[in-house]
Amino acid sequence: MNSHGINFGSIICTGPGSCNGQNIEGLTNNLETLDPDGSLQDLTEILVVRPFSRKGSFTTSRAFDVSATQFHMGLQPVEEFGYFVDPDGDGVNNELFVGELSAMSLFLEGMEPPEITSPLSDQASAGKETFSAIGCADCHIPSLTTRNRFLPFSFPEVESDPLQNIYRVLNLQNHGFPLAGFGSGVRVDLFSDLKIHDMGPGLAEANGNSRFTTARLWGVSDSAPYMHDSRALTLRDAILFHDGERANAKANFAGLSAAEQSNLLMFLGSLNSPANPNMGL
């Protein structure tokens, strides 16, 4: 299975709802749903890219917000709990309306994207080449191209069909994304493959799960600390914490000369957050 130049493994189907998902790669954190015994099942819900959260749990910023507003802010969205109920017993119901979450989604996804310093210095240009040469760009793919320039917003959301229930569409070309050199899509300088990778036992969480979504490096120069639990205070530390599937990239970086390492870090330092992401929004 290939999408936007990224390989997600393979499946074998013998008919509708009868597919073997043993060789799917990078699409789910639940190891049981990877179909380890090769049984045949409907894989519709598995074949969805979920780029939001460190564990690849959410398909859209709205889905992320439904969970995050509960966990971080103690707000219970009505689309999750219903109207005029008070599950947490705080004496307040209807804590976050559907329209409020819709407005939040439009705000977040309408922001200006991060940018790459232009022109790059000679050192950063050399670091960009090294970034690819040692394998960093294998997962942190510099650019992806969308099929079209329009981003749909829907409610209720259907993970396996984002074109259902659309209530608003944003033209990404008007929000800082350049048109790609071919077709009608836009270029997204994301520096990610949006896949889930096993990063080794050294980065595992308390439950033993060491599988994480490839971090998006756009804007990385302004987003310290790094890694899923902020254990890395510098980009150098973040690279050296890589292990598991990406142990080779860490080893390749460690084997570089001091000047080559410095150039690579200067390149990462050129991946900036926008100075005024809300201007004109």
Side-chain angles (χ1 to χ4, degrees):
M1 297 183 293
N2 292 287
S3 178
H4 297 78
I6 301 168
N7 181 264
F8 292 94
S10 62
I11 56 175
I12 299 174
C13 295
T14 59
S18 298
C19 296
N20 184 313
Q22 189 174 17
N23 296 318
I24 293 174
E25 298 176 3
L27 283 177
T28 177
N29 237 305
N30 185 347
L31 299 182
E32 295 179 358
T33 63
L34 285 178
D35 199 18
D37 61 355
S39 61
L40 298 176
Q41 57 177 299
D42 184 353
L43 300 175
T44 302
E45 295 305 314
I46 296 177
L47 300 178
V48 175
V49 176
R50 297 178 173 87
F52 292 95
S53 90
R54 69 190 188 282
K55 310 297 285 186
S57 305
F58 306 101
T59 55
T60 65
S61 65
R62 185 192 195 102
F64 178 87
D65 290 342
V66 167
S67 177
T69 51
Q70 298 171 57
F71 185 81
H72 295 290
M73 305 169 68
L75 295 174
Q76 298 178 313
V78 297
E79 61 196 71
E80 179 83 359
F81 295 94
Y83 289 89
F84 303 104
V85 296
D86 184 20
D88 60 0
D90 64 356
V92 181
N93 54 37
N94 302 334
E95 293 180 345
L96 196 59
F97 287 101
V98 168
E100 292 172 317
L101 270 170
S102 297
M104 192 183 302
S105 296
L106 288 164
F107 168 72
L108 290 173
E109 301 196 26
M111 286 187 178
E112 180 183 350
E115 55 196 11
I116 303 173
T117 298
S118 180
L120 290 174
S121 67
D122 291 343
Q123 293 90 342
S125 293
K128 180 180 180 181
E129 294 183 9
T130 301
F131 181 84
S132 296
I134 68 172
C136 299
D138 293 349
C139 294
H140 296 288
I141 298 174
S143 295
L144 301 177
T145 300
T146 66
R147 291 191 176 92
N148 63 67
R149 63 182 183 273
F150 299 105
L151 175 67
F153 292 79
S154 61
F155 181 81
E157 293 184 327
V158 179
E159 284 193 335
S160 57
D161 187 357
L163 299 183
Q164 286 195 36
N165 308 317
I166 293 174
Y167 66 85
R168 186 71 180 267
V169 174
L170 287 187
N171 185 338
L172 294 174
Q173 187 183 3
N174 297 334
H175 290 269
F177 292 90
L179 284 175
F182 56 91
S184 58
V186 297
R187 190 185 78 240
V188 183
D189 299 324
L190 193 65
F191 290 88
S192 175
D193 61 2
L194 303 179
K195 292 175 64 173
I196 297 168
H197 296 276
D198 191 333
M199 297 298 290
L203 287 176
E205 297 186 314
N207 62 2
N209 193 332
S210 57
R211 295 165 56 79
F212 300 95
T213 305
T214 303
R216 294 172 289 279
L217 297 186
W218 61 352
V220 73
S221 67
D222 303 309
S223 60
Y226 306 104
M227 310 304 288
H228 66 280
D229 55 4
S230 301
R231 69 178 63 188
L233 299 182
T234 67
L235 287 167
R236 180 187 299 275
D237 291 340
I239 295 170
L240 295 176
F241 276 128
H242 282 55
D243 209 343
E245 291 182 34
R246 304 315 302 160
N248 63 322
K250 174 182 72 173
N252 291 339
F253 176 79
L256 295 174
S257 68
E260 290 171 325
Q261 289 186 6
S262 177
N263 289 343
L264 191 151
L265 294 172
M266 288 187 69
F267 168 64
L268 295 178
S270 71
L271 308 182
N272 307 305
S273 296
N276 298 293
N278 301 323
M279 292 294 290
L281 190 62

